[in-house]
């Protein structure tokens, strides 16, 4: 059977593995100790935060079919949020997602989608791939200098810059990947021992260093005390990602307090996470496939399909269709 190494256990890596597992022997290498990548949940008991992807849409029939089993088994639910758009510190629009296209969340956390997809997949955790070489078959090396088996194919599903840094320079698409810019994001997590009187569940914010505010506990099947999940703007994060983390946290707390009109110094729990490669800077960059059939290497990820969870799925889906069409994988 064809042996395939997949780098990364985010949504695109797990989708690739699921779509190929009947036809090939799959091993995923993941640098962290869990699945989900940017679609993950931070536990700081009693507080829980979805500190990456907040929700996802399913606009295509192929993604709708893919998520149907998760829906049937209660792994995802529709989030009918009371939604507002805020400009500066003014609410300029109120809507209810109940009346619009469905926005889905994993339950009881976003990471449950990845956990569902990881079932029965061979995943080697705490294994950061640092280089690849080919001598008939592919050999991967991790940051402990461990050599990892011989694979027929390698599929990278990690963010564009990270992929360009580890893939061999003679792979034809590496220079193209390196041009795909990804923006950073700070995720500010605040936990409270009593609820704040906020009259929305989710807000997109413009003209501010904040881009998103959500009451995490208002998503379906969340328990625990009141929590706020706040994302910075890409512009603020790109300018401060290597700066002082505490200073960024103080600034974003002050900004949020001003927007929602509540003092946030009473937060019982506060922390900030830096996503260095959070989102594709160009959301229109769609439908690019990175695939070299001679060297048997490919790359996908949300960044090659405009970003977002559905983009991650679509990039993996398209890559697998191409692979299956061109090769009789056995
Ligand atoms: P990733 O999730 O990044 O997966 C890559 C995996 O590879 C990770 O697990 C990583 O640990 C691993 N890895 C990296 N380098 C190596 C290496 N060298 N060796 C081994 N493993 C490695 N999308 C939406 O649809 N809706 C939203 O509301 C939304 N909000 C977001 C908010 C934030 C703050 C962020 C950061 C993202 C958001 N997104 C949202 C985008 C969404 O999270 C991504 O599009 C999607 O999760 C990307 O999946 P992926 O598998 O392509 O990449």
């Amino acid at each position: 059977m064809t042996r395939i190494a997949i780098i990364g256990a985010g949504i695109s890596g797990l989708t690739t593995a699921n779509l190929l597992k009947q036809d090939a022997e799959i091993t995923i290498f993941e640098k962290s100790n869990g699945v989900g990548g940017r679609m993950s949940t931070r536990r700081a008991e009693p507080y829980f935060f979805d500190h990456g992807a907040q929700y996802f849409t399913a606009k295509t029939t192929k993604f709708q079919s893919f998520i149907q089993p998760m829906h049937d088994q209660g792994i995802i639910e529709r989030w009918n949020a009371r939604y507002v758009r805020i400009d500066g510190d003014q609410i300029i629009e109120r809507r209810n997602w109940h009346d619009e296209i469905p926005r889905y969340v994993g339950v009881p956390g976003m990471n449950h989608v990845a956990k569902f997809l990881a079932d029965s997949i061979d995943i080697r955790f705490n294994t950061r791939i640092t280089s690849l070489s080919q001598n008939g078959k592919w050999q991967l090396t991790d940051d402990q200098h461990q050599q990892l088996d011989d694979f027929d194919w390698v599929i990278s599903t990690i963010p564009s810059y990270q992929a360009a840094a580890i893939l061999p320079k003679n792979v034809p698409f590496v220079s193209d990947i390196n041009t795909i810019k990804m923006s950073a994001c700070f995720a500010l997590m605040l936990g409270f021992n009593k609820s704040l009187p906020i009259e929305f569940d989710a807000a997109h914010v413009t003209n501010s260093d904040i881009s998103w505010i959500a009451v995490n506990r208002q998503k379906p099947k969340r328990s625990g005390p009141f929590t706020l999940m706040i994302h910075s703007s890409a512009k603020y994060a790109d300018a401060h990602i290597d700066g002082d983390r505490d200073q960024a946290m103080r600034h974003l707390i002050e900004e949020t307090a001003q927007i929602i009109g509540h003092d946030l110094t009473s937060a019982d729990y506060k922390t900030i996470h830096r996503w260095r490669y959070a989102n594709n800077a160009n959301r229109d960059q769609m439908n690019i496939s990175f695939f070299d059939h001679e060297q048997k290497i490919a790359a996908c990820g949300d960044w090659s399909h405009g970003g977002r969870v559905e983009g991650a799925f679509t990039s993996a889906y398209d890559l697998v269709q191409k692979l299956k069409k061109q090769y009789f994988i056995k």
Side-chain angles (χ1 to χ4, degrees):
M1 221 183 195
T2 305
R3 300 191 68 225
I4 301 180
I6 296 175
I7 309 172
I11 295 304
S12 53
L14 292 168
T15 300
T16 307
N18 272 272
L19 298 176
L20 284 172
K21 68 182 178 190
Q22 307 297 343
D23 306 299
E25 192 184 319
I26 307 287
T27 309
I28 299 188
F29 298 102
E30 167 55 50
K31 73 177 161 90
S32 71
N33 61 2
V35 292
R38 280 172 281 149
M39 189 170 179
S40 51
T41 303
R42 172 77 63 96
R43 283 172 61 166
E45 294 204 33
Y47 302 112
F48 294 87
F49 302 91
D50 298 321
H51 65 313
Q54 297 297 294
Y55 61 89
F56 61 93
T57 52
K59 294 179 179 161
T60 61
T61 50
K62 59 193 176 203
F63 192 42
Q64 286 160 7
S65 310
F66 187 76
I67 65 169
Q68 191 60 46
M70 295 184 222
H71 211 272
D72 296 342
Q73 293 177 48
I75 306 296
I76 58 171
E77 278 191 27
R78 191 176 166 155
W79 184 20
N80 294 322
R82 294 171 300 158
Y83 170 81
V84 298
R85 281 204 307 124
I86 298 175
D87 187 37
D89 54 9
Q90 298 295 316
I91 293 181
I92 55 168
E93 190 183 352
R94 286 178 194 276
R95 299 185 337 231
N96 194 314
W97 281 350
H98 178 266
D99 307 322
E100 302 184 3
I101 61 154
R103 273 82 169 179
Y104 296 104
V105 295
V107 290
M110 290 302 276
N111 61 342
H112 279 250
V113 171
K115 285 184 176 174
F116 175 84
L117 294 175
D119 187 43
S120 81
I121 306 284
D122 176 17
I123 306 178
R124 313 285 166 87
F125 291 106
N126 303 307
T127 308
R128 178 195 288 267
I129 303 302
T130 52
S131 64
L132 292 84
S133 58
Q134 200 189 30
N135 186 6
K137 301 245 176 174
W138 281 106
Q139 192 163 60
L140 288 70
T141 306
D142 75 5
D143 57 357
Q144 305 301 311
H145 308 291
Q146 207 187 158
Q147 304 289 316
L148 301 156
D149 296 317
D150 289 327
F151 293 94
D152 299 295
W153 273 86
V154 175
I155 302 175
S156 166
T157 70
I158 66 182
S160 51
Y161 285 172
Q162 290 175 315
I166 64 164
L167 297 182
K169 299 294 168 267
N170 66 346
V171 171
F173 55 73
V174 167
S175 52
D176 290 336
I177 288 183
N178 216 6
T179 63
I180 297 178
K181 184 176 175 336
M182 294 185 75
S183 293
C185 180
F186 285 106
L188 171 65
M189 294 161 254
L190 301 177
F192 299 82
N193 47 30
K194 65 176 202 260
S195 299
L196 297 179
I198 294 180
E199 51 187 41
F200 60 82
D201 304 327
H204 277 118
V205 187
T206 45
N207 290 317
S208 167
D209 290 340
I210 304 293
S211 66
W212 169 261
I213 303 170
V215 182
N216 203 83
R217 199 190 55 176
Q218 290 296 95
K219 292 178 174 178
K221 304 242 164 65
R222 267 60 177 176
S223 56
F226 186 90
T227 45
L228 283 180
M229 184 65 251
I230 295 137
H231 287 154
S232 72
S233 67
K235 189 174 167 198
Y236 179 81
D238 283 342
H240 296 90
I241 198 73
D242 291 316
D244 184 291
R245 197 191 292 230
D246 288 340
Q247 202 175 321
M249 182 157 78
R250 279 195 301 276
H251 173 69
L252 295 173
I253 288 175
E254 278 165 24
E255 287 281 297
T256 310
Q258 203 172 337
I259 292 166
I260 64 176
H262 294 289
D263 178 21
L264 297 175
T265 51
S266 64
D268 183 45
Y269 174 83
K270 55 184 173 192
T271 192
I272 195 164
H273 178 85
R274 287 190 287 207
W275 293 103
R276 187 173 292 277
Y277 304 111
N279 289 295
N280 192 331
N282 176 3
R283 290 289 171 93
D284 299 326
Q285 202 148 27
M286 297 294 272
N287 303 319
I288 306 165
S289 271
F290 295 102
F291 193 92
D292 185 57
H293 61 90
E294 274 175 23
Q295 296 192 49
K296 297 190 175 169
I297 188 162
C300 67
D302 65 328
W303 46 270
S304 70
H305 279 65
R308 300 193 180 92
V309 172
E310 186 163 9
F313 162 81
T314 309
S315 73
Y317 182 92
D318 287 357
L319 185 70
V320 169
Q321 297 318 305
K322 206 166 167 181
L323 203 57
K324 285 187 173 177
K325 206 163 139 193
Q326 294 199 5
Y327 298 90
F328 185 66
I329 297 175
K330 272 269 156 113

PDB file of all heavy atoms in Angstrom, residues 188 190 208 210 212-213 228 230-231 250-262 264:
ATOM      1  N   LEU A 188      -7.171  37.261  23.156  1.00  0.00           N
ATOM      2  CA  LEU A 188      -7.243  37.652  24.573  1.00  0.00           C
ATOM      3  C   LEU A 188      -8.382  36.883  25.225  1.00  0.00           C
ATOM      4  O   LEU A 188      -9.508  36.887  24.728  1.00  0.00           O
ATOM      5  CB  LEU A 188      -7.507  39.163  24.640  1.00  0.00           C
ATOM      6  CG  LEU A 188      -7.840  39.755  26.007  1.00  0.00           C
ATOM      7  CD1 LEU A 188      -6.659  39.647  26.976  1.00  0.00           C
ATOM      8  CD2 LEU A 188      -8.248  41.234  25.857  1.00  0.00           C
ATOM      9  N   LEU A 190     -10.574  36.260  28.705  1.00  0.00           N
ATOM     10  CA  LEU A 190     -10.918  36.809  30.020  1.00  0.00           C
ATOM     11  C   LEU A 190     -12.001  35.951  30.664  1.00  0.00           C
ATOM     12  O   LEU A 190     -13.031  35.670  30.051  1.00  0.00           O
ATOM     13  CB  LEU A 190     -11.438  38.245  29.880  1.00  0.00           C
ATOM     14  CG  LEU A 190     -10.497  39.277  29.225  1.00  0.00           C
ATOM     15  CD1 LEU A 190     -11.197  40.630  29.102  1.00  0.00           C
ATOM     16  CD2 LEU A 190      -9.201  39.427  30.027  1.00  0.00           C
ATOM     17  N   SER A 208     -10.670  49.646  14.815  1.00  0.00           N
ATOM     18  CA  SER A 208     -10.236  49.432  16.189  1.00  0.00           C
ATOM     19  C   SER A 208      -9.066  48.448  16.168  1.00  0.00           C
ATOM     20  O   SER A 208      -8.867  47.743  15.166  1.00  0.00           O
ATOM     21  CB  SER A 208     -11.399  48.836  16.990  1.00  0.00           C
ATOM     22  OG  SER A 208     -10.953  48.342  18.222  1.00  0.00           O
ATOM     23  N   ILE A 210      -9.234  45.984  17.974  1.00  0.00           N
ATOM     24  CA  ILE A 210      -9.991  44.757  18.232  1.00  0.00           C
ATOM     25  C   ILE A 210     -10.761  44.402  16.956  1.00  0.00           C
ATOM     26  O   ILE A 210     -11.284  45.291  16.281  1.00  0.00           O
ATOM     27  CB  ILE A 210     -11.027  44.986  19.366  1.00  0.00           C
ATOM     28  CG1 ILE A 210     -10.358  45.505  20.642  1.00  0.00           C
ATOM     29  CG2 ILE A 210     -11.874  43.737  19.641  1.00  0.00           C
ATOM     30  CD1 ILE A 210      -9.443  44.542  21.326  1.00  0.00           C
ATOM     31  N   TRP A 212     -12.809  41.258  17.002  1.00  0.00           N
ATOM     32  CA  TRP A 212     -13.868  40.285  17.331  1.00  0.00           C
ATOM     33  C   TRP A 212     -14.030  40.194  18.838  1.00  0.00           C
ATOM     34  O   TRP A 212     -13.031  40.160  19.581  1.00  0.00           O
ATOM     35  CB  TRP A 212     -13.465  38.919  16.770  1.00  0.00           C
ATOM     36  CG  TRP A 212     -14.288  37.746  17.220  1.00  0.00           C
ATOM     37  CD1 TRP A 212     -13.980  36.851  18.204  1.00  0.00           C
ATOM     38  CD2 TRP A 212     -15.552  37.310  16.709  1.00  0.00           C
ATOM     39  NE1 TRP A 212     -14.960  35.901  18.326  1.00  0.00           N
ATOM     40  CE2 TRP A 212     -15.934  36.155  17.411  1.00  0.00           C
ATOM     41  CE3 TRP A 212     -16.389  37.808  15.691  1.00  0.00           C
ATOM     42  CZ2 TRP A 212     -17.125  35.479  17.152  1.00  0.00           C
ATOM     43  CZ3 TRP A 212     -17.571  37.125  15.433  1.00  0.00           C
ATOM     44  CH2 TRP A 212     -17.936  35.980  16.145  1.00  0.00           C
ATOM     45  N   ILE A 213     -15.285  40.156  19.297  1.00  0.00           N
ATOM     46  CA  ILE A 213     -15.576  39.919  20.728  1.00  0.00           C
ATOM     47  C   ILE A 213     -16.687  38.872  20.787  1.00  0.00           C
ATOM     48  O   ILE A 213     -17.719  39.014  20.115  1.00  0.00           O
ATOM     49  CB  ILE A 213     -16.075  41.203  21.431  1.00  0.00           C
ATOM     50  CG1 ILE A 213     -15.060  42.349  21.280  1.00  0.00           C
ATOM     51  CG2 ILE A 213     -16.361  40.937  22.913  1.00  0.00           C
ATOM     52  CD1 ILE A 213     -15.584  43.711  21.744  1.00  0.00           C
ATOM     53  N   LEU A 228     -15.023  35.955  28.092  1.00  0.00           N
ATOM     54  CA  LEU A 228     -14.974  36.764  26.871  1.00  0.00           C
ATOM     55  C   LEU A 228     -13.781  36.328  26.035  1.00  0.00           C
ATOM     56  O   LEU A 228     -12.678  36.145  26.562  1.00  0.00           O
ATOM     57  CB  LEU A 228     -14.796  38.249  27.204  1.00  0.00           C
ATOM     58  CG  LEU A 228     -16.009  39.024  27.705  1.00  0.00           C
ATOM     59  CD1 LEU A 228     -15.606  40.480  27.964  1.00  0.00           C
ATOM     60  CD2 LEU A 228     -17.166  38.972  26.701  1.00  0.00           C
ATOM     61  N   ILE A 230     -11.615  37.517  22.828  1.00  0.00           N
ATOM     62  CA  ILE A 230     -11.399  38.745  22.050  1.00  0.00           C
ATOM     63  C   ILE A 230     -10.234  38.526  21.084  1.00  0.00           C
ATOM     64  O   ILE A 230      -9.198  37.973  21.482  1.00  0.00           O
ATOM     65  CB  ILE A 230     -11.072  39.904  23.026  1.00  0.00           C
ATOM     66  CG1 ILE A 230     -12.298  40.179  23.911  1.00  0.00           C
ATOM     67  CG2 ILE A 230     -10.648  41.163  22.282  1.00  0.00           C
ATOM     68  CD1 ILE A 230     -11.961  40.408  25.340  1.00  0.00           C
ATOM     69  N   HIS A 231     -10.404  38.949  19.833  1.00  0.00           N
ATOM     70  CA  HIS A 231      -9.295  38.885  18.879  1.00  0.00           C
ATOM     71  C   HIS A 231      -8.877  40.296  18.493  1.00  0.00           C
ATOM     72  O   HIS A 231      -9.718  41.181  18.314  1.00  0.00           O
ATOM     73  CB  HIS A 231      -9.705  38.116  17.615  1.00  0.00           C
ATOM     74  CG  HIS A 231      -9.807  36.634  17.847  1.00  0.00           C
ATOM     75  ND1 HIS A 231     -10.608  35.814  17.119  1.00  0.00           N
ATOM     76  CD2 HIS A 231      -9.186  35.839  18.750  1.00  0.00           C
ATOM     77  CE1 HIS A 231     -10.488  34.562  17.557  1.00  0.00           C
ATOM     78  NE2 HIS A 231      -9.634  34.560  18.550  1.00  0.00           N
ATOM     79  N   ARG A 250      -2.610  44.413  28.140  1.00  0.00           N
ATOM     80  CA  ARG A 250      -3.202  45.590  28.811  1.00  0.00           C
ATOM     81  C   ARG A 250      -3.911  46.482  27.798  1.00  0.00           C
ATOM     82  O   ARG A 250      -5.031  46.949  28.013  1.00  0.00           O
ATOM     83  CB  ARG A 250      -2.105  46.386  29.535  1.00  0.00           C
ATOM     84  CG  ARG A 250      -1.721  45.801  30.886  1.00  0.00           C
ATOM     85  CD  ARG A 250      -0.930  46.804  31.698  1.00  0.00           C
ATOM     86  NE  ARG A 250       0.290  47.242  31.040  1.00  0.00           N
ATOM     87  CZ  ARG A 250       1.457  46.566  31.096  1.00  0.00           C
ATOM     88  NH1 ARG A 250       1.547  45.451  31.776  1.00  0.00           N
ATOM     89  NH2 ARG A 250       2.522  47.024  30.475  1.00  0.00           N
ATOM     90  N   HIS A 251      -3.250  46.695  26.661  1.00  0.00           N
ATOM     91  CA  HIS A 251      -3.832  47.571  25.630  1.00  0.00           C
ATOM     92  C   HIS A 251      -5.161  46.999  25.111  1.00  0.00           C
ATOM     93  O   HIS A 251      -6.158  47.722  24.999  1.00  0.00           O
ATOM     94  CB  HIS A 251      -2.842  47.739  24.475  1.00  0.00           C
ATOM     95  CG  HIS A 251      -3.413  48.479  23.314  1.00  0.00           C
ATOM     96  ND1 HIS A 251      -3.715  49.830  23.366  1.00  0.00           N
ATOM     97  CD2 HIS A 251      -3.798  48.056  22.074  1.00  0.00           C
ATOM     98  CE1 HIS A 251      -4.240  50.201  22.211  1.00  0.00           C
ATOM     99  NE2 HIS A 251      -4.303  49.149  21.409  1.00  0.00           N
ATOM    100  N   LEU A 252      -5.178  45.698  24.835  1.00  0.00           N
ATOM    101  CA  LEU A 252      -6.389  45.096  24.262  1.00  0.00           C
ATOM    102  C   LEU A 252      -7.516  45.034  25.294  1.00  0.00           C
ATOM    103  O   LEU A 252      -8.695  45.176  24.947  1.00  0.00           O
ATOM    104  CB  LEU A 252      -6.078  43.710  23.678  1.00  0.00           C
ATOM    105  CG  LEU A 252      -5.108  43.745  22.477  1.00  0.00           C
ATOM    106  CD1 LEU A 252      -4.709  42.341  22.043  1.00  0.00           C
ATOM    107  CD2 LEU A 252      -5.702  44.515  21.280  1.00  0.00           C
ATOM    108  N   ILE A 253      -7.176  44.886  26.575  1.00  0.00           N
ATOM    109  CA  ILE A 253      -8.211  44.923  27.624  1.00  0.00           C
ATOM    110  C   ILE A 253      -8.833  46.325  27.673  1.00  0.00           C
ATOM    111  O   ILE A 253     -10.059  46.487  27.716  1.00  0.00           O
ATOM    112  CB  ILE A 253      -7.623  44.527  29.001  1.00  0.00           C
ATOM    113  CG1 ILE A 253      -7.311  43.026  29.030  1.00  0.00           C
ATOM    114  CG2 ILE A 253      -8.593  44.884  30.140  1.00  0.00           C
ATOM    115  CD1 ILE A 253      -6.619  42.531  30.299  1.00  0.00           C
ATOM    116  N   GLU A 254      -7.973  47.349  27.631  1.00  0.00           N
ATOM    117  CA  GLU A 254      -8.494  48.735  27.677  1.00  0.00           C
ATOM    118  C   GLU A 254      -9.382  49.022  26.472  1.00  0.00           C
ATOM    119  O   GLU A 254     -10.454  49.627  26.597  1.00  0.00           O
ATOM    120  CB  GLU A 254      -7.329  49.731  27.690  1.00  0.00           C
ATOM    121  CG  GLU A 254      -6.740  49.938  29.076  1.00  0.00           C
ATOM    122  CD  GLU A 254      -5.386  50.635  29.014  1.00  0.00           C
ATOM    123  OE1 GLU A 254      -5.120  51.340  28.022  1.00  0.00           O
ATOM    124  OE2 GLU A 254      -4.601  50.431  29.963  1.00  0.00           O
ATOM    125  N   GLU A 255      -8.920  48.589  25.291  1.00  0.00           N
ATOM    126  CA  GLU A 255      -9.708  48.811  24.066  1.00  0.00           C
ATOM    127  C   GLU A 255     -11.086  48.135  24.165  1.00  0.00           C
ATOM    128  O   GLU A 255     -12.104  48.713  23.815  1.00  0.00           O
ATOM    129  CB  GLU A 255      -8.973  48.229  22.854  1.00  0.00           C
ATOM    130  CG  GLU A 255      -7.762  49.007  22.419  1.00  0.00           C
ATOM    131  CD  GLU A 255      -8.142  50.232  21.600  1.00  0.00           C
ATOM    132  OE1 GLU A 255      -8.729  50.093  20.519  1.00  0.00           O
ATOM    133  OE2 GLU A 255      -7.842  51.348  22.089  1.00  0.00           O
ATOM    134  N   THR A 256     -11.070  46.876  24.650  1.00  0.00           N
ATOM    135  CA  THR A 256     -12.335  46.134  24.749  1.00  0.00           C
ATOM    136  C   THR A 256     -13.272  46.800  25.751  1.00  0.00           C
ATOM    137  O   THR A 256     -14.485  46.933  25.504  1.00  0.00           O
ATOM    138  CB  THR A 256     -12.068  44.668  25.168  1.00  0.00           C
ATOM    139  OG1 THR A 256     -11.066  44.123  24.319  1.00  0.00           O
ATOM    140  CG2 THR A 256     -13.324  43.816  25.054  1.00  0.00           C
ATOM    141  N   ALA A 257     -12.708  47.233  26.883  1.00  0.00           N
ATOM    142  CA  ALA A 257     -13.527  47.882  27.921  1.00  0.00           C
ATOM    143  C   ALA A 257     -14.215  49.116  27.344  1.00  0.00           C
ATOM    144  O   ALA A 257     -15.399  49.372  27.596  1.00  0.00           O
ATOM    145  CB  ALA A 257     -12.643  48.261  29.107  1.00  0.00           C
ATOM    146  N   GLN A 258     -13.481  49.858  26.533  1.00  0.00           N
ATOM    147  CA  GLN A 258     -14.046  51.063  25.922  1.00  0.00           C
ATOM    148  C   GLN A 258     -15.179  50.709  24.947  1.00  0.00           C
ATOM    149  O   GLN A 258     -16.218  51.359  24.923  1.00  0.00           O
ATOM    150  CB  GLN A 258     -12.939  51.793  25.181  1.00  0.00           C
ATOM    151  CG  GLN A 258     -13.243  53.257  25.005  1.00  0.00           C
ATOM    152  CD  GLN A 258     -12.044  53.988  24.447  1.00  0.00           C
ATOM    153  OE1 GLN A 258     -10.906  53.544  24.577  1.00  0.00           O
ATOM    154  NE2 GLN A 258     -12.305  55.109  23.817  1.00  0.00           N
ATOM    155  N   ILE A 259     -14.964  49.639  24.184  1.00  0.00           N
ATOM    156  CA  ILE A 259     -15.978  49.249  23.191  1.00  0.00           C
ATOM    157  C   ILE A 259     -17.258  48.778  23.872  1.00  0.00           C
ATOM    158  O   ILE A 259     -18.363  49.169  23.497  1.00  0.00           O
ATOM    159  CB  ILE A 259     -15.423  48.127  22.272  1.00  0.00           C
ATOM    160  CG1 ILE A 259     -14.308  48.678  21.384  1.00  0.00           C
ATOM    161  CG2 ILE A 259     -16.523  47.518  21.413  1.00  0.00           C
ATOM    162  CD1 ILE A 259     -13.485  47.614  20.687  1.00  0.00           C
ATOM    163  N   ILE A 260     -17.118  47.929  24.893  1.00  0.00           N
ATOM    164  CA  ILE A 260     -18.342  47.359  25.479  1.00  0.00           C
ATOM    165  C   ILE A 260     -18.872  48.198  26.638  1.00  0.00           C
ATOM    166  O   ILE A 260     -19.968  47.937  27.145  1.00  0.00           O
ATOM    167  CB  ILE A 260     -18.156  45.883  25.915  1.00  0.00           C
ATOM    168  CG1 ILE A 260     -17.107  45.760  27.037  1.00  0.00           C
ATOM    169  CG2 ILE A 260     -17.781  44.987  24.747  1.00  0.00           C
ATOM    170  CD1 ILE A 260     -16.965  44.340  27.558  1.00  0.00           C
ATOM    171  N   GLY A 261     -18.086  49.187  27.053  1.00  0.00           N
ATOM    172  CA  GLY A 261     -18.577  50.084  28.114  1.00  0.00           C
ATOM    173  C   GLY A 261     -18.632  49.440  29.482  1.00  0.00           C
ATOM    174  O   GLY A 261     -19.492  49.789  30.300  1.00  0.00           O
ATOM    175  N   HIS A 262     -17.743  48.479  29.740  1.00  0.00           N
ATOM    176  CA  HIS A 262     -17.667  47.857  31.067  1.00  0.00           C
ATOM    177  C   HIS A 262     -16.219  47.775  31.512  1.00  0.00           C
ATOM    178  O   HIS A 262     -15.337  47.468  30.700  1.00  0.00           O
ATOM    179  CB  HIS A 262     -18.228  46.431  31.052  1.00  0.00           C
ATOM    180  CG  HIS A 262     -19.686  46.364  30.784  1.00  0.00           C
ATOM    181  ND1 HIS A 262     -20.621  46.781  31.708  1.00  0.00           N
ATOM    182  CD2 HIS A 262     -20.374  45.959  29.706  1.00  0.00           C
ATOM    183  CE1 HIS A 262     -21.821  46.623  31.188  1.00  0.00           C
ATOM    184  NE2 HIS A 262     -21.699  46.129  29.974  1.00  0.00           N
ATOM    185  N   LEU A 264     -13.147  46.031  32.812  1.00  0.00           N
ATOM    186  CA  LEU A 264     -12.765  44.619  32.726  1.00  0.00           C
ATOM    187  C   LEU A 264     -11.654  44.261  33.708  1.00  0.00           C
ATOM    188  O   LEU A 264     -11.116  43.152  33.675  1.00  0.00           O
ATOM    189  CB  LEU A 264     -12.331  44.286  31.295  1.00  0.00           C
ATOM    190  CG  LEU A 264     -13.436  44.450  30.236  1.00  0.00           C
ATOM    191  CD1 LEU A 264     -12.880  44.205  28.837  1.00  0.00           C
ATOM    192  CD2 LEU A 264     -14.594  43.496  30.512  1.00  0.00           C
TER     193      LEU A 264
END
